[in-house]
Amino acid sequence: MERQPRQPTTKNPPERFTGDVWLDMIASPREPGQHLLAAMVRFAPGARTAWHSHALGQTLHITQGVAWVQGRGGDKIVATAGETLYCPSGEEHWHGAAPDAFMEHLAMSDCLDDVAASTTWLEHVTDEEYRS
């Protein structure tokens, strides 16, 4: 058993997020054959990711607040604490907080051997897309 030191909270970059979003890394691959990436992510009201996709899918478990999640071309999903959403491999999507509430979710993804290549970041979600 190995106790892991607490990692500092980081603010996510504006190239990939609109608004204020903070991340606490929980788990990342440490040994050959491991692929789990898990983080607690906190969104200020109205904050959201850019459009993106994950090579091996992503699971989001909402822990607080109200989440808005949408796959490209699909209907927006409103999810609250205790609900879990799955975004399949390669599906372009975005997720964020409702305009009037903070939101926190546990984001879990399986990664490729090259962790950086596991997520493809695309354009920002426009205000019109966010509100629709």
Side-chain angles (χ1 to χ4, degrees), residues 13-68:
E15 300 81 21
R16 297 178 178 170
F17 295 83
T18 298
D20 292 328
V21 180
W22 297 270
L23 179 136
D24 287 300
M25 186 56 64
I26 295 172
S28 59
R30 304 175 68 81
E31 297 177 21
Q34 293 182 339
H35 299 282
L36 174 67
L37 187 67
M40 189 63 70
V41 189
R42 294 171 186 86
F43 294 77
R48 57 197 179 265
T49 68
W51 287 102
H52 64 286
S53 65
H54 300 275
L56 300 174
Q58 181 182 50
T59 299
L60 303 172
H61 179 75
I62 314 307
T63 57
Q64 294 182 34
V66 179
W68 285 6

